[in-house]
Amino acid sequence: MLNRRKFLAVSGGALSAGVASIGTISLATTEVAGDLGGDETILVALQMAGGNDGLNTVVPYRDDNYRRLRPTLALKESDVIRLQDDLGFHPALKPLMPLWEEGHLAVVQGVGYPQASDDHGRAMEIWQTARPEDPLADTGWLGRAADELFEKGNTARAAAPAVFLGQIPIPLTVVGRHQPAVRCQQPAELFSLHGGAASLPHYRQLIHEATDGRQTTTHGLLAETVEVQRQTTEHLSRLEKVLGTSDDGKQFPQTNFGRQIACLTRLVRANLGIRIFCLDLGGQGPGTFDTHALQAANHGELLAELAQGLALLADVLKKDGLFDSVAIYTYSEFGRTIRENGRKGTDHGAAAPVFVLGGKVKGGLVGKHPPLDVPEKGGVPHHTDFRSLYATFLDRWLHVPSERVLGRSLGHLPLFA
């Protein structure tokens, strides 16, 4: 069977009539459906723009400083979902409790970095590039990981190396040097011809027309091309079935976040070889998690949307037997201040918790909750460098050398069973 690179060379030179851009079609479809190994892991990055308030997400409800410094925002002990004697979840996170109880949800506490920036744009760049020392970095850490995967041949049959499913501009997280990230809000968009909006059936018809009458060819480059195009037609038929019959749109909320998760489940189910996805909840910077005023209701609604979406995603992946292949993590540019401000909100802080969930995730609390009596930039102090989290994903999950992507050697976190 020809690989993708050989197919491009063969089809480009052998067919002078029929479909001029047949190589473009094959780029996204050849050998992607039904031929990929089932053991390839997928990492999903969920961006929460604006600065999520970690203290009201994972709540130290018995801490005197928490109650004293947040006279209107501090959650009552009776309201939180208790995780242990002194920590609990915001009540809006109740949909995630089955995952927690099953041991498939980890909470990494106190995640940040030294001398954290409190500027939205710069702080998000640091989390996305994993290069705090370089204000001019122009690639994201997952974009560089996608480059590594492609160069090793791990994504040679993939529809795209990394895919962003949101509506905002493509985050720097998934921007690489060699392989551009792709935006996709409907699965079939991955297979659009340049300069057109042709559907999958149309691609299949183009390929059929290009090979019609040549099925008896038995040797040479043309024979190889016709065979690969026949296989491509079969793959497109499978993709049509997988992408066209899903009812995920009815399962998930009709919100931007719900549509992203619905699209994600269909793309994962289609087995297109994509290893990296990025989702967005919060919008474009500064984002809806920037809760400077009247935080309580707004933050609760955001956490409810997050929890409901992730719980539904996990349920669908479990039913499809795909949950063990996917790990999802959340990130925000910074946490919030420990002390609430005069507008019943909070300002820009430092560290915050990170959620990691998946079938192979080792659930539970990772690290201790940071003390609140020694604040960092007015916020929760960090004790876990976010790049150690990334190194764990790279080395232990994507199997990409973290030192090549991050430019340094870092320790790992106990996240995977």
Side-chain angles (χ1 to χ4, degrees), residues 31-329:
E31 300 185 302
V32 296
D35 295 318
L36 291 173
D39 59 348
E40 289 188 320
T41 53
I42 293 170
L43 182 64
V44 181
L46 172 52
Q47 174 176 298
M48 301 160 65
N52 178 48
D53 181 20
L55 270 183
N56 272 22
T57 301
V58 181
V59 187
Y61 56 86
R62 289 185 175 173
D63 190 297
D64 291 337
N65 290 297
Y66 171 72
R67 295 195 303 270
R68 178 174 57 84
L69 296 174
R70 294 189 167 203
T72 71
L73 292 180
L75 295 171
K76 298 177 181 178
E77 182 174 347
S78 59
D79 292 334
V80 302
I81 304 170
R82 186 174 300 186
L83 304 178
Q84 60 182 39
D85 287 344
D86 55 356
L87 284 178
F89 279 155
H90 189 289
L93 297 177
K94 185 177 180 179
L96 295 180
M97 285 309 295
L99 291 169
W100 175 265
E101 292 164 354
E102 293 165 2
H104 295 312
L105 172 62
V107 178
V108 187
Q109 303 192 86
V111 183
Y113 56 95
Q115 299 179 328
S117 173
D118 59 3
D119 174 78
H120 283 292
R122 179 61 189 138
M124 188 61 85
E125 285 176 356
I126 289 171
W127 274 83
Q128 292 176 340
T129 65
R131 289 179 172 168
E133 73 287 349
D134 183 4
L136 300 178
D138 58 358
T139 59
W141 78 279
L142 284 176
R144 298 193 297 273
D147 287 342
E148 291 287 328
L149 287 168
F150 188 85
E151 289 170 6
K152 290 196 309 181
N154 293 50
T155 59
R157 295 177 294 179
V163 175
F164 173 57
L165 303 179
Q167 295 180 333
I168 65 173
I170 293 177
L172 190 55
T173 314
V174 290
V175 174
R177 180 71 65 191
H178 307 300
Q179 297 301 313
V182 173
R183 182 200 305 279
C184 171
Q185 295 178 287
Q186 294 292 331
E189 291 176 2
L190 286 177
F191 308 95
S192 295
L193 290 170
H194 292 302
S199 64
L200 294 178
H202 183 49
Y203 297 163
R204 185 157 47 84
Q205 181 62 27
L206 288 174
I207 295 173
H208 174 75
E209 292 173 357
T211 58
D212 189 32
R214 294 174 174 149
Q215 287 82 356
T216 57
T217 304
T218 59
H219 62 276
L221 288 175
L222 184 58
E224 292 186 77
T225 301
V226 170
E227 172 59 20
V228 172
Q229 291 177 335
R230 182 192 64 77
Q231 295 167 5
T232 301
T233 303
E234 292 179 359
H235 295 158
L236 285 168
S237 296
R238 292 183 217 162
L239 288 168
E240 285 180 63
K241 183 177 181 180
V242 171
L243 302 181
T245 61
S246 172
D247 60 354
D248 290 338
K250 298 178 182 178
Q251 295 181 30
F252 292 103
Q254 292 302 305
T255 62
N256 180 38
F257 187 52
R259 287 187 287 271
Q260 289 179 66
I261 295 177
C263 185
L264 172 66
T265 59
R266 295 169 71 188
L267 290 174
V268 172
R269 184 184 297 137
N271 192 19
L272 307 180
I274 305 166
R275 303 284 304 281
I276 296 167
F277 292 92
C278 184
L279 310 182
D280 160 65
L281 175 62
Q284 193 168 356
T288 54
F289 282 91
D290 194 24
T291 51
H292 287 283
L294 302 176
Q295 174 179 304
N298 182 45
H299 190 235
E301 290 177 1
L302 287 167
L303 292 182
E305 185 174 10
L306 171 75
Q308 291 164 6
L310 291 180
L312 284 169
L313 171 61
D315 286 345
V316 172
L317 293 176
K318 287 177 184 177
K319 290 176 183 177
D320 288 342
L322 298 168
F323 194 47
D324 284 356
S325 299
V326 180
I328 305 108
Y329 82 96

Side-chain angles (χ1 to χ4, degrees), residues 20-34:
S21 57
I22 198 73
T24 305
I25 300 170
S26 67
L27 180 66
T29 58
T30 302
E31 300 185 302
V32 296

